[in-house]
Amino acid sequence: MTQQDQDTPSGLVLAITAYVLWGFLPLYMKLLAHVPAVEVVAHRVIWSIPIAGAVLLILRRTRDLREAIRNPRMLAMGCVTAALISVNWGIYVYAISIDRAADAALGYYINPLFSMFLAIVLLGERPSKMQLVSILIAAAAVVVLFVAAPAPPWIPLGLTLSWGFYAYCKKSLPIGPNQGFLLEVLILSVPAVGYLIYLGASGKGAFLTNASDTWILLAAGVVTAVPLMIYANGAKLIRLSTAGILQYIAPSMIFIIAVFLFDEELDPSRLIAFPMIWSALVIYSISMVRQMRRA
């Protein structure tokens, strides 16, 4: 039973587990830093299909998926969300491979604030004063990055824009999250399989080249599909405000890993931008909790 006004223990465990798994994801991606990002994304797509498919078969929830595949409009919407999530994955994998995990963390910190901005502009939602303040602070942090950073912050902006529009478009896809995820990877499997066949034929692919890379790439489906499906089930059993606050677990872990394990250096612009984003998130979270309590 879905609990809309309270947090259930199982919901908290599932949601926290998903965010912690996402937080550790850079450690896995670092093992594949020598593999091109596009190839890694292709394997994430291919090896997610059997896992997502098995889950839907066990739960007997394949009917919505079959209907979506037969519906041209839903299939077109699925193509849009699939394209956006593939771009997001590609930027993320690339960021880890070039030692820019901190930028990835920054992108996912900005994400909820950008989603609020989209809700205001595209959905006509009326923000509170505190939410407007948080968005303005985040915008100022982005300006700092553009003006003072050694290079344009295209990685955090790319992650923010691709995930923000993905989440927005996902709301228009009238099927469950698990079915929607399988639909997306099925759509992406067409170019992914073609690309991997090309790599194999030209001898440029990492798969089957050596045992280590092969096993790590085979695990791409697990690290991609499992956290997403755990979260999809946990989100139904916790309050929206709780989910909003818990989402900061992953970027916080990514930031800690980037600085203390990957030894990434933060230039002065990021030392200014990160505290600004954290301040904006605190203001945003307080406003969100207050709204949920009033509701």
Side-chain angles (χ1 to χ4, degrees):
M1 182 175 64
T2 301
Q3 301 291 331
Q4 295 181 346
D5 58 348
Q6 61 180 329
D7 298 321
T8 66
S10 59
L12 286 170
V13 169
L14 289 171
I16 292 173
T17 299
Y19 281 122
V20 169
L21 290 174
W22 279 324
F24 281 120
L25 188 58
L27 299 177
Y28 167 80
M29 291 301 172
K30 202 68 171 178
L31 298 175
L32 295 171
H34 60 288
V35 179
V38 177
E39 185 176 356
V40 175
V41 171
H43 281 282
R44 293 187 74 176
V45 169
I46 298 301
W47 305 119
S48 291
I49 293 175
I51 297 173
V55 170
L56 288 188
L57 287 172
I58 292 171
L59 298 176
R60 298 181 179 180
R61 294 179 180 175
T62 59
R63 180 178 177 181
D64 289 347
L65 179 63
R66 294 196 301 269
E67 292 178 354
I69 293 175
R70 296 191 191 105
N71 187 316
R73 181 174 177 273
M74 290 180 63
L75 193 58
M77 293 166 61
C79 289
V80 172
T81 58
L84 288 168
I85 194 61
S86 65
V87 170
N88 185 268
W89 287 351
I91 295 174
Y92 181 81
V93 174
Y94 179 71
I96 303 300
S97 69
I98 63 169
D99 299 325
R100 303 302 299 182
D103 276 2
L106 181 59
Y108 288 122
Y109 273 130
I110 299 174
N111 218 25
L113 301 171
F114 180 66
S115 294
M116 174 61 67
F117 172 77
L118 287 180
I120 295 170
V121 175
L122 301 179
L123 300 179
E125 294 186 9
R126 298 180 62 183
S128 66
K129 292 181 180 179
M130 293 181 68
Q131 289 171 338
L132 278 177
V133 169
S134 67
I135 291 173
L136 290 175
I137 294 174
V142 173
V143 171
V144 168
L145 290 172
F146 266 107
V147 173
W154 70 266
I155 288 177
L157 285 181
L159 289 171
T160 298
L161 293 172
S162 59
W163 185 263
F165 282 110
Y166 170 75
Y168 171 77
C169 294
K170 189 86 168 177
K171 290 172 63 68
S172 303
L173 196 62
I175 55 177
N178 291 340
Q179 296 94 320
F181 174 69
L182 181 54
L183 175 64
E184 289 161 359
V185 291
L186 285 173
I187 292 170
L188 291 172
S189 67
V190 177
V193 169
Y195 181 68
L196 293 179
I197 290 175
Y198 161 75
L199 289 179
S202 60
K204 299 178 181 179
F207 191 66
L208 299 180
T209 301
N210 61 70
S212 177
D213 285 346
T214 298
W215 284 109
I216 294 172
L217 287 170
L218 282 172
V222 175
V223 301
T224 300
V226 171
L228 189 62
M229 292 188 163
I230 290 175
Y231 175 76
N233 289 278
K236 299 177 182 179
L237 303 173
I238 58 176
R239 292 176 297 178
L240 180 61
S241 59
T242 302
I245 294 172
L246 291 179
Q247 69 180 317
Y248 306 138
I249 292 175
S252 297
M253 291 180 62
I254 294 171
F255 177 78
I256 291 171
I257 289 172
V259 174
F260 295 102
L261 292 184
F262 296 166
D263 294 323
E264 293 185 12
E265 294 185 6
L266 299 177
D267 59 70
S269 65
R270 282 162 177 76
L271 291 175
I272 296 172
F274 266 105
M276 292 177 69
I277 294 297
W278 290 331
S279 300
L281 291 174
V282 170
I283 296 171
Y284 168 81
S285 299
I286 293 173
S287 174
M288 184 170 55
V289 171
R290 287 179 177 177
Q291 284 185 342
M292 291 298 295
R293 286 178 175 175
R294 286 196 295 267

